[in-house]
Amino acid sequence: MPGAELGGKRLDFVQLIVSGLANGCVYGLIALGFVMIYKATEAVNFAQGDFMMLGAFFCLGFTNADFMGLNFWLAVPLAMIFMGILGYVFDWGVLRHMSGQSQTSIVILTIAVGFILRFVAGTVWSHEPVSLETPFAGVNLDFGGVVLGVNELLIIVVTIILTVALFVFFSRTKLGIAMQAASQNQLAAYYMGVPVKRIQSLVWALSGVVAAVAGILFASKGAIDPSSGLLGIKAFAAAAIGGFGSLPGALVGGLIIGLIEPLAARFAPDGFAGVARIAPYAILIIVLIFRPGGLFSQTQKKKV
Amino acid sequence: MTDKNSPVLRVDNLESYYGPIMAIRGVSLEVREGQIVTVLGANGAGKTTLLKTISGVMDPEKGTVVLENEQIQGEEPDRIVNRGMVHVPEGREIFPLLTVAENIAMGAYTRSDQQDINRDTEMVYSYFPILKERMSQAAGTLSGGQQQMLAIGRGLMASPRIMLLDEPSLGLSPLLTEEIFAIIRRLNEEQKVTMMLVEQNAAVALGVADYGYVMELGRIVMADDAATLAASKDVQEFYLGISQDENQRGQRRWKQRKTWR
Ligand SMILES: Nc1ncnc2c1ncn2[C@@H]1O[C@H](COP(=O)(O)OP(=O)(O)O)[C@@H](O)[C@H]1O
Ligand SMILES: [Mg+2]
């Protein structure tokens, strides 16, 4: 029956979109981490994807029966706290001593840190893919024939909540506004008595927490292994699409990439299924050609 | 509490470097309670470097900075702001994407006494009504004069005992400069803010100051009451009454003639 098949296709399409959005949320959250650190410190953290991977492994290490077997809802905040501390300590203990070094050496340092984190995660937890044991694993909801995984819906809901929370933090709290101030004009922030270095370490802590959330969400959808963090490259593309200086841009860039992947796979002509893999980068190039500053580029030049 | 005999700020034999370049060569000066003290000097004399070293943005190689009887040289700026000294930097340096109100709130970053902060916010808006009108506008969209007002207002929010002002007239029309200096004088008289004012525009600075120093190539070369300085032949010849385009030539001659040494 052609009608039923058409209806089936539409349901299938909804599932495709939801799953793409869920992936996009994870990319977007990693991109958010990139952009926060870039805005605050001018450094590009190429280990942001590995931070995400590590956050997932922390949670997994706390909650999986093979490891510590703690309650999942306890493991989540613990993983967030651990990643926050790691972000803070990395900036305070390592990067602060490199101030005055070129951006290139800091970028290379973060790449090296990524390798180290992959090695550490493999050694401490597992070199093989492991799945995160969540209370909602494999639970689906049926919306009149559209079957959606709870994990995917949760990813979208949690991302929305986190985005709103971050928005309120950056626009309403003294610390959040000080973070913005320090990123717009570091010198002026110094003059006003804002402890710029501590603020920067706190931004690293915050991006560690966001990375942990992204990692837990990512792992709730499937397995995680030490090289999962390499999807940080896609998040990097997402950040660039968004303009690399814009937090909303990072999220939108993530969603664009999340959606384009399954859509490209679905609608690619026969024999070109691999196009899905290059689609994020093709989009990146198109955006950068037509809007070199990214979709959400800010016109104000930043002072350092 | 205020000992009229001990200065709010005393700088002794201060030396500061940019790498191998010595920008401040043994500067000593004093600012007393309630005074406006000006430091005059041509472009490149070292005025900004002096203020940065005093406010802790740069560390001195030698010498002492004493704020209310305590040595503060080399301390971090946030400590120094907390101690009651605020630096309104050259070129405004506002936070361009934050609103005017957020910029002003950032001036009070080191404080937590919310009631007093609210009172001081109202005080700032009473001196600069235009800022209140524009409070929810991004600061980067303000005009140069308004940005200067914002920088001063933001500095006031630290509730300073002493305010360091770096060339508030820079890039402003004579009319706006007059307006801003009138407010600086009122703040000094009505709010009792002690000020150290660095300027190239000697006429307007000597107009509000009680005492003045003249700086050249990192050294203090003259020091006297503002009125005496304004009447001195050298200051008159090289700093007062010369038009902008003669300025460069005037500075060269100034260097050749050092009659006070
Ligand atoms: N960041 C810097 N690096 C190297 N030299 C500098 C720097 N800033 C200023 N200088 C030099 O220090 C001297 C004093 O500069 P500055 O304090 O800015 O003078 P002023 O504020 O009186 O115009 C000048 O010779 C200037 O070239
Ligand atoms: Mg200067």
Side-chain angles (χ1 to χ4, degrees):
Chain A
M1 289 210 315
E5 189 178 292
L6 250 176
K9 266 194 176 160
R10 217 182 57 229
L11 298 183
D12 186 29
F13 188 71
V14 172
Q15 283 155 358
L16 204 71
I17 294 288
V18 170
S19 142
L21 281 177
N23 282 336
C25 285
V26 174
Y27 301 150
L29 289 179
I30 303 173
L32 214 59
F34 272 127
V35 172
M36 281 196 299
I37 289 175
Y38 177 72
K39 279 177 77 109
T41 68
E42 305 252 293
V44 177
N45 176 23
F46 273 98
Q48 191 67 24
D50 302 291
F51 276 34
M52 175 222 69
M53 173 275 297
L54 200 68
F57 267 114
F58 267 124
C59 186
L60 185 151
F62 288 129
T63 192
N64 273 20
D66 284 350
F67 298 102
M68 292 173 65
L70 298 178
N71 182 303
F72 177 74
W73 300 112
L74 178 62
V76 169
L78 277 178
M80 288 164 68
I81 290 169
F82 269 68
M83 286 308 297
I85 292 173
L86 191 90
Y88 191 98
V89 168
F90 179 60
D91 183 59
W92 170 77
V94 181
L95 291 181
R96 209 176 279 186
H97 304 286
M98 290 182 63
S99 70
Q101 301 298 312
S102 73
Q103 290 305 314
T104 319
S105 49
I106 291 176
V107 164
I108 290 171
L109 179 82
T110 65
I111 292 173
V113 164
F115 277 100
I116 294 170
L117 294 184
R118 269 166 259 159
F119 170 78
V120 168
T123 309
V124 174
W125 293 289
S126 163
H127 290 284
E128 301 305 317
V130 205
S131 34
L132 174 63
E133 291 161 12
T134 65
F136 45 85
V139 182
N140 294 315
L141 292 179
D142 189 334
F143 297 91
V146 188
V147 180
L148 299 174
V150 166
N151 51 9
E152 289 183 338
L153 294 176
L154 210 60
I155 289 176
I156 295 170
V157 170
V158 168
T159 302
I160 291 170
I161 292 173
L162 186 61
T163 306
V164 171
L166 284 173
F167 176 80
V168 170
F169 172 73
F170 277 116
S171 60
R172 296 276 182 277
T173 69
K174 184 174 170 181
L175 183 60
I177 295 173
M179 283 178 179
Q180 287 194 62
S183 93
Q184 288 170 28
N185 192 337
Q186 194 168 319
L187 199 59
Y190 254 120
Y191 286 123
M192 289 306 107
V194 175
V196 173
K197 287 175 183 157
R198 194 179 330 138
I199 294 271
Q200 290 183 340
S201 296
L202 286 171
V203 171
W204 274 88
L206 188 59
S207 81
V209 170
V210 172
V213 174
I216 295 165
L217 295 178
F218 176 80
S220 77
K221 234 162 26 84
I224 184 111
D225 68 84
S227 60
S228 298
L230 295 176
L231 70 77
I233 297 294
K234 276 186 218 166
F236 188 77
I241 287 174
F244 229 105
S246 157
L247 297 178
L251 277 168
V252 171
L255 293 179
I256 290 175
I257 288 188
L259 284 173
I260 201 77
E261 281 183 313
L263 290 178
R266 168 75 183 270
F267 295 109
D270 288 343
F272 285 89
V275 82
R277 266 198 244 138
I278 59 143
Y281 309 106
I283 290 278
L284 172 65
I285 291 170
I286 291 168
V287 168
L288 292 187
I289 288 172
F290 290 101
R291 275 192 68 106
L295 292 178
F296 288 66
S297 59
Q298 282 164 329
T299 43
Q300 281 280 355
K301 276 271 303 174
K302 147 174 191 170
K303 280 192 163 181
V304 191
Chain B
M1 196 183 84
T2 52
D3 178 1
K4 280 282 173 197
N5 291 319
S6 76
V8 181
L9 174 70
R10 201 179 75 232
V11 173
D12 268 316
N13 227 349
L14 208 61
E15 290 184 8
S16 273
Y17 288 77
Y18 291 104
I21 303 162
M22 192 178 189
I24 298 295
R25 304 163 173 258
V27 167
S28 303
L29 53 79
E30 278 185 4
V31 182
R32 290 176 181 279
E33 179 79 34
Q35 277 187 323
I36 298 183
V37 170
T38 185
V39 177
L40 306 174
N43 197 12
K47 306 180 299 296
T48 297
T49 311
L50 174 63
L51 289 195
K52 282 182 172 174
T53 312
I54 293 173
S55 69
V57 174
M58 278 175 70
D59 289 342
E61 194 70 26
K62 267 198 201 148
T64 54
V65 178
V66 179
L67 179 66
E68 309 206 283
N69 300 318
E70 287 190 68
Q71 293 202 7
I72 59 162
Q73 71 276 5
E75 270 187 15
E76 286 294 309
D78 51 321
R79 293 280 322 269
I80 293 179
V81 172
N82 242 330
R83 288 175 179 279
M85 177 153 69
V86 76
H87 181 165
V88 178
E90 182 178 75
R92 279 69 105 170
E93 303 287 350
I94 46 125
F95 303 115
L97 301 172
L98 296 187
T99 64
V100 169
E102 286 168 339
N103 267 270
I104 286 177
M106 275 297 110
Y109 186 83
T110 58
R111 301 168 63 188
S112 49
D113 43 341
Q114 197 53 51
Q115 274 190 349
D116 292 351
I117 292 176
N118 293 343
R119 195 200 55 217
D120 286 349
T121 307
E122 282 316 306
M123 182 269 288
V124 167
Y125 284 142
S126 75
Y127 280 91
F128 302 105
I130 187 75
L131 297 182
K132 185 164 195 172
E133 260 171 55
R134 304 288 163 89
M135 63 190 279
S136 44
Q137 195 171 318
T141 63
L142 296 180
S143 72
Q146 292 163 354
Q147 291 190 8
Q148 185 61 59
M149 294 178 190
L150 179 57
I152 295 174
R154 185 183 60 180
L156 284 172
M157 290 304 294
S159 189
R161 301 266 295 109
I162 177 167
M163 184 179 246
L164 312 181
L165 282 159
D166 196 345
E167 298 210 38
S169 77
L170 196 73
L172 299 187
S173 70
L175 206 67
L176 261 172
T177 304
E178 284 298 328
E179 190 182 336
I180 291 209
F181 273 73
I183 297 174
I184 288 174
R185 190 206 289 267
R186 277 180 59 208
L187 285 169
N188 172 253
E189 282 169 4
E190 298 166 8
Q191 304 297 324
K192 313 288 175 226
V193 186
T194 304
M195 311 233 184
M196 178 170 167
L197 169 67
V198 149
E199 263 297 343
Q200 284 191 64
N201 187 338
V204 73
L206 288 174
V208 297
D210 300 294
Y211 198 83
Y213 295 86
V214 178
M215 199 171 177
E216 189 207 303
L217 295 176
R219 285 196 181 85
I220 300 290
V221 291
M222 274 180 104
D224 219 322
D225 290 332
T228 317
L229 273 188
S232 103
K233 230 176 136 249
D234 290 315
V235 172
Q236 278 188 349
E237 187 168 356
F238 299 111
Y239 279 90
L240 298 170
I242 52 169
S243 69
Q244 285 298 333
D245 50 24
E246 279 173 345
N247 214 353
Q248 281 307 62
R249 194 154 42 88
Q251 280 164 25
R252 246 195 325 274
R253 282 162 57 210
W254 166 255
K255 276 173 198 162
Q256 283 161 5
R257 273 196 40 189
K258 305 169 190 168
T259 56
W260 47 82
R261 276 207 204 140

